Amino acid sequence: MKERAAVIPEELKYTEEHEWVLRTGEDTVRVGITDYAQEQLGDVVFVQLPELGEQVGAGQTLGEVESTKSVSDIYAPLAGEVVARNDSLDQQPDLVNSDPYGEGWMVELRLEDPAAVDDLLDAAAYQELAASE
């Protein structure tokens, strides 16, 4: 059975832990897990997200995604404050599977260092990473 190729939008930035980052403002970003990550997890049944106002450091655990196969941590790609969370995931965790880059987003962060976004992986580098796993 041939695996389908993961969708990797060009305009996003990525982490080695399979989170994606979309710049939403001067100092804010939206974060979720990649198509590749949700594919590896299988059917997502529960998502635990941080509270609004929570401060997170780059690489710190931001929450959890529980699937029928496993429980995986979500890591903060950058340091900042949680300014929005996708409450839809409380009732519909499967949005992470059906629309990982859209309705399945997880949190928005106000960044301590907005320039740090540029240090994340671009689509081509993430493609190589995902292909090597």
Side-chain angles (χ1 to χ4, degrees), residues 83-127:
V83 293
R85 61 194 302 274
N86 187 352
D87 293 328
S88 302
L89 298 180
D90 294 344
Q91 305 305 319
Q92 296 178 278
D94 58 318
L95 289 172
V96 172
N97 294 122
S98 60
D99 192 7
Y101 299 114
E103 295 295 314
W105 68 276
M106 296 189 173
V107 296
E108 289 188 8
L109 300 175
R110 179 170 296 117
L111 302 177
E112 284 175 16
D113 177 10
V117 173
D118 299 334
D119 297 335
L120 298 173
L121 301 174
D122 63 15
Y126 181 71
Q127 174 79 53

Side-chain angles (χ1 to χ4, degrees), residues 35-87:
D35 184 46
Y36 174 84
Q38 71 79 22
E39 185 75 18
Q40 298 301 309
L41 283 168
D43 295 332
V44 173
V45 294
F46 178 73
V47 179
Q48 178 191 344
L49 298 173
E51 296 304 317
L52 292 179
E54 204 169 300
Q55 295 288 334
V56 294
Q60 265 188 316
T61 303
L62 193 60
E64 283 183 348
V65 176
E66 193 174 318
S67 71
T68 51
K69 291 187 198 171
S70 67
V71 176
S72 297
D73 287 333
I74 308 160
Y75 297 98
L78 302 157
E81 176 189 354
V82 177
V83 293
R85 61 194 302 274
N86 187 352
D87 293 328

